[in-house]
Every structure is written in C-alpha cells, then in structure tokens.
Amino acid sequence: MKLPVSTEWVLHCATTLAQLEPGASASTTQLAQYYDLPAAYLAKQLKALVRAGLLAATTGPRGGFRLARPAREITLLQIVEAVDGTSSPYECREIRQQGRGALPPEDCRRTCVLAEKMIDAHEAWRGSLAGVTLADIIGALPESAPSRTRLRLTGTA
C-alpha cells in the first residue's frame, strides 16, 4: 500500500502539536518551516484534520492549529482517514471472469479469494492504526523530544 506523501506530513504535524503544552498552537508557517514543507499545500491537509475534528484552528496573529482533543483520544487511523479517506486501496474488477482464462459463472458465486484476502489485510492495517494514539507515539519518543520540539517550533521550552 502506498500513501500520499501528505499522509506523512499530517502524521508528523499532529505528533508535533501533541508535544506542545495543552492549548498551545502552531501556525502553518511554523510547521512548514519546521519540516521544510510547502505551506500552502500543508494548510490544505491540516484543514482536513480540522474538518475531521482532530485539530482546532484559530485565526489572527497568534492563531494556528492545536489538538482538538487529548492526544490519547486521537488515533493514527483517524488522522490517515481524514486526509486519505476510508476506502480500501484494492478494488477487485473480477478479471477472473474475463479473457481466455475466464471461470464459468457458477465458479464465481463467492467473492474472489484474492479480494477477500486484500480486504482482510486492509482491515488488519486499519485495526493496527486504530490501536495507536498520538499519546502512544509521544510515549515512544525520547524523553527530551517534547521540550526540544517546543523550543524549536515555538521558542518555548
């Protein structure tokens, strides 16, 4: 499975925001500079997280993005699905019924075994991401990471 590069961006940005003090925010410009990303495109991706209720946005000179709820309540799956959607990356087009090797209709009454296995794999992937929260990610970072992130992103420790 290959996800767009923007998925990596929002996962990292959400993790970065989770390292800030409660209620603190960071602007698109700050996040874009922090990761050397194009600000305009990053803003679109962050807005998708706002629409999904994962981030909150404020406007004005001290505006920016912050987590909309505690890090322990935001899963990696919610972040990924906010920007990439919920559909499976695999679509069975029933080619088993086409061409010289076409199976007879009576052999195709069940769902294609390959489609079943791909669905199983997608569900396992989703289940894995649903079981990991931003708090879990923060807990796995080096102890010095949050204060380093706050200092480099917002100038506060």
Side-chain angles (χ1 to χ4, degrees), residues 11 14-16 18-19 71 74 76 132-142:
L11 287 166
T15 300
T16 299
Q19 294 175 71
I74 300 173
L76 298 186
V132 181
T133 67
L134 285 178
D136 296 328
I137 298 299
I138 299 304
L141 295 176

Side-chain angles (χ1 to χ4, degrees), residues 6-151:
S6 57
T7 304
E8 179 184 10
W9 299 358
V10 296
L11 287 166
H12 278 282
C13 287
T15 300
T16 299
L17 293 172
Q19 294 175 71
L20 301 180
E21 293 297 329
S25 64
S27 70
T28 301
T29 301
Q30 287 172 306
L31 291 165
Q33 289 174 350
Y34 192 74
Y35 288 112
D36 193 23
L37 300 172
Y41 190 62
L42 178 60
K44 291 179 185 179
Q45 303 306 313
L46 294 173
K47 287 176 185 174
L49 297 184
V50 172
R51 284 189 301 276
L54 304 173
L55 297 183
T58 53
T59 57
R62 298 185 45 83
F65 296 93
R66 62 178 169 73
L67 297 183
R69 48 188 199 250
R72 69 181 178 281
E73 296 177 14
I74 300 173
T75 69
L76 298 186
L77 180 63
Q78 292 168 326
I79 295 167
V80 169
E81 288 186 343
V83 294
D84 295 322
T86 60
S87 63
S88 174
Y90 183 80
E91 182 181 337
C92 180
R93 292 187 172 82
E94 283 293 336
I95 67 167
R96 66 185 176 159
Q97 296 182 59
Q98 299 173 22
R100 289 179 48 199
L103 293 172
E106 59 272 10
D107 289 347
C108 299
R109 290 189 183 122
R110 280 192 53 230
T111 301
C112 173
V113 67
L114 294 172
E116 286 177 354
K117 296 303 177 189
M118 295 303 286
I119 289 166
D120 291 348
H122 182 65
E123 288 303 314
W125 178 79
R126 290 181 78 247
S128 177
L129 292 179
V132 181
T133 67
L134 285 178
D136 296 328
I137 298 299
I138 299 304
L141 295 176
E143 192 175 309
S144 61
S147 61
R148 178 183 175 274
T149 297
R150 288 190 296 273
L151 183 63

